[in-house]
Amino acid sequence: MKILLLGSGAREHALARALAADPQTTELIAVPGNPGIAAVATNIKADPTSPTEVTQLAVEMQADLVVVGPEAPLVAGVADALREAGIPVFGPGAEAARLEGSKAFAKEVMQAAGVPTAEAAVCTTQAELEAAFDRFGAPYVVKDDGLAAGKGVVVTEDRAAALAHGLACLAKEGGRVVVEDYLDGPEVSLFCVCDGATVRPLAPAQDFKRLADGDAGPNTGGMGSYTPLTWAPADLTEQVVAEVAQPVVDEMARRGTAFSGLLYCGLALTSRGLRVVEFNVRFGDPETQAVLARLTSSLPQLLLASATGTLHEVPAPTWSEQAAVDVVLAAPGYPGTVTTGGRITGIEEAEAQPGVHVLHAGTGLDDDGELVATGGRVLSVVALGDTVEHARARAYEALSHIHLDGAQYRTDIALGR
C-alpha cells in the first residue's frame, strides 16, 4: 500500500511509525514531515493545505491512501479534492470538518442529535459576551468559534481575563465566541474512526492542557497524555459510542454531509453525567502519541476501511496490555513568544531506555546539520510499561537524557492515576 501522510508534528510522527511498521505499507511519503519522520518515510516539501498540490502528488505517486494529520488541510478542502480525484483519503470533507472549524456548528449538530453537552451562547458583540458571563457565572469558559491550534479556549475565574480573550476573538474577521457553562469532573479523549455510517472506537486517553504542574499556567496544545484510564468506568467507550459518536455520525449523514475520518470526542465525566466538551476532526495531539504506542492491530487497514466505507468489514482495533505515557518537551516561551534555534541533544540516549521512543514535533536541522528546535512543542517522549506508573517512570528517566536550553515540561503527567 502506497500512503501519503500530511503533517509535520509529533502526531504525524506517531502515525508514520505505526503506518511504516505495518507490512501492508510498501511506500510512505510525508508532506512536509520532519527530521524524525524522515527515519521511516520520505519527506517532500509541499503545501499540505493546498488541494491542488496534494492531489497532484497523490496522483503522481499512485497513492492507495492519503492520511491527513492536522486540521488545517481538512478545513481547506484537501480531502474533498482527493475524493473528487478518486483517491481514498482518511479525513472528512470541508463541510463535515466544520465540527471542529466552528464550535457553534458543533453545538447545533449536538443539539439535533441529542448529544449531552454544556449549555452555550454564541456571541458576536461585547454586550452578548457580558450577558453570557452574567448567565453562566464563573468559572468563565470562553472559546474562539474558529480554529486556534488548541489554544483558543480560556477557562478562568477572572472576568476581566475572560472578557479580554473574548474581545480578542471577536476582533478577528468574522469573529464569533462561544461562552459555555463550566463542566466539572475529569476530562477524557476518545478517538472514533468513522466511515459515514460505522464507528470504531480507539482506546480512551487523558491529556494535560495547561503548561505547568498542577494544571497551572496558560492553556497549550497539550503537554502530555497517558492511556489506559484504569479509573474510568468500564463501559465508558461503549457509552460514548452510543450516546455521542454514533448519533453525531448519523446526524451528519442525515444532513447529507457524511462524516468519514477521525471524530475526536473531548469529554467531561461530570457530576451530572457524560458531557461533550468539544469535537475535533483529526487525531489529537498529544493523545495520539500514547494511544498508537499501544495499538497491536493494523493501522493502514483501519484507516483504508474508513476511507473506502468498509469499516464494518474489518475487526475492531486491538491493544497491548501495557500502559503508555507521553511527556511533551516544549521550547522556552511556549505557548507565548517562542525562542527557537536551540540545539537538541540526548535523543539517542533517551531511546536507549527500555520501552521508549521519541517523537519529533517542532524540530529541524540547522546549517551544520544539527537538530534544533523550530516550534513551540519540540518533542514527545513516549514510554511503555506494565502499569501507568511504570511507563511514567520510564518516560521521565528518558527525558532526563535530553537537553534543550530553557526547555519546559510538566513533571506530573499521569501522576496519581
Side-chain angles (χ1 to χ4, degrees):
M1 191 187 303
K2 296 181 178 181
I3 302 174
L4 174 61
L5 172 65
L6 305 185
S8 61
R11 162 187 50 216
E12 287 76 35
H13 193 177
L15 286 164
R17 280 184 86 251
L19 292 169
D22 193 285
Q24 294 184 55
T25 302
T26 55
E27 182 179 4
L28 181 60
I29 291 177
V31 173
N34 65 39
I37 292 173
V40 294
T42 301
N43 290 344
I44 292 182
K45 286 187 177 180
D47 181 2
T49 66
S50 168
T52 302
E53 283 189 45
V54 172
T55 302
Q56 184 176 346
L57 178 58
V59 170
E60 288 175 0
M61 69 174 282
Q62 298 181 300
D64 298 299
L65 174 66
V66 178
V67 177
V68 184
E71 61 270 30
L74 297 170
V75 175
V78 167
D80 299 287
L82 289 163
R83 287 193 177 95
E84 287 172 18
I87 299 166
V89 53
F90 180 76
E95 185 65 24
R98 290 179 66 208
L99 281 172
E100 177 169 0
S102 169
K103 304 287 190 301
F105 175 73
K107 287 289 185 185
E108 176 193 317
V109 170
M110 282 189 273
Q111 184 175 17
V115 170
T117 187
E119 286 190 61
V122 180
C123 308
T124 57
T125 67
Q126 180 172 343
E128 290 175 348
L129 266 177
E130 299 272 14
F133 292 164
D134 291 340
R135 173 183 168 190
F136 295 121
Y140 304 103
V141 181
V142 189
K143 299 182 176 182
D144 191 334
D145 182 53
L147 295 178
K151 291 173 282 189
V153 180
V154 163
V155 181
T156 179
E157 296 276 354
D158 183 341
R159 182 163 176 144
L163 180 62
H165 178 67
L167 292 176
C169 296
L170 291 180
K172 299 178 182 179
E173 184 178 350
R176 294 198 301 176
V177 176
V178 177
V179 179
E180 293 186 353
D181 193 14
Y182 176 74
L183 297 175
D184 62 357
E187 293 192 12
V188 172
S189 303
L190 183 69
F191 302 157
C192 293
V193 176
C194 314
D195 68 356
T198 302
V199 174
R200 285 273 191 260
L202 303 187
Q206 186 176 59
D207 76 332
F208 293 73
K209 287 292 186 193
R210 293 195 179 269
L211 179 68
D213 289 1
D215 289 330
N219 252 9
T220 72
M223 295 300 293
S225 61
Y226 72 99
T227 178
L229 309 182
T230 54
W231 51 268
D235 64 346
L236 175 64
T237 299
E238 292 77 11
Q239 183 186 2
V240 175
V241 171
E243 297 182 14
V244 178
Q246 193 68 59
V248 165
V249 168
D250 292 345
E251 173 62 19
M252 293 297 283
R254 189 190 67 76
R255 292 169 177 241
T257 50
F259 187 90
S260 172
L262 197 291
L263 182 64
Y264 168 133
C265 302
L267 311 155
L269 307 185
T270 78
S271 55
R272 294 168 288 172
L274 179 72
R275 297 287 187 275
V276 173
V277 176
E278 64 177 354
F279 289 130
N280 293 329
V281 297
R282 36 68 189 180
F283 279 101
D285 183 341
E287 299 98 319
T288 299
Q289 291 91 296
V291 170
L292 291 186
R294 296 181 55 232
L295 182 70
T296 55
S297 51
S298 171
L299 185 63
Q301 179 188 51
L302 183 69
L303 302 191
L304 182 63
S306 166
T308 55
T310 57
L311 262 183
H312 64 286
E313 297 177 9
V314 302
T318 56
W319 307 97
S320 164
E321 301 219 345
Q322 288 189 299
V325 172
D326 166 30
V327 182
V328 172
L329 182 81
Y334 179 77
T337 303
V338 175
T339 301
T340 59
R343 288 198 171 179
I344 304 161
T345 59
I347 290 179
E348 287 186 9
E349 292 83 353
E351 292 194 315
Q353 307 306 307
V356 171
H357 61 274
V358 178
L359 301 171
H360 292 233
T363 69
L365 300 176
D366 66 12
D367 293 340
D368 298 323
E370 298 291 334
L371 190 69
V372 297
T374 60
R377 291 185 295 174
V378 179
L379 300 170
S380 278
V381 179
V382 183
L384 287 165
D386 294 335
T387 63
V388 170
E389 293 77 16
H390 186 208
R392 182 178 182 279
R394 283 179 162 182
Y396 280 105
E397 170 60 28
L399 189 59
S400 72
H401 294 274
I402 298 174
H403 179 76
L404 167 66
D405 281 346
Q408 310 176 80
Y409 62 89
R410 285 182 61 157
T411 65
D412 64 348
I413 302 301
L415 186 63
R417 292 300 189 187

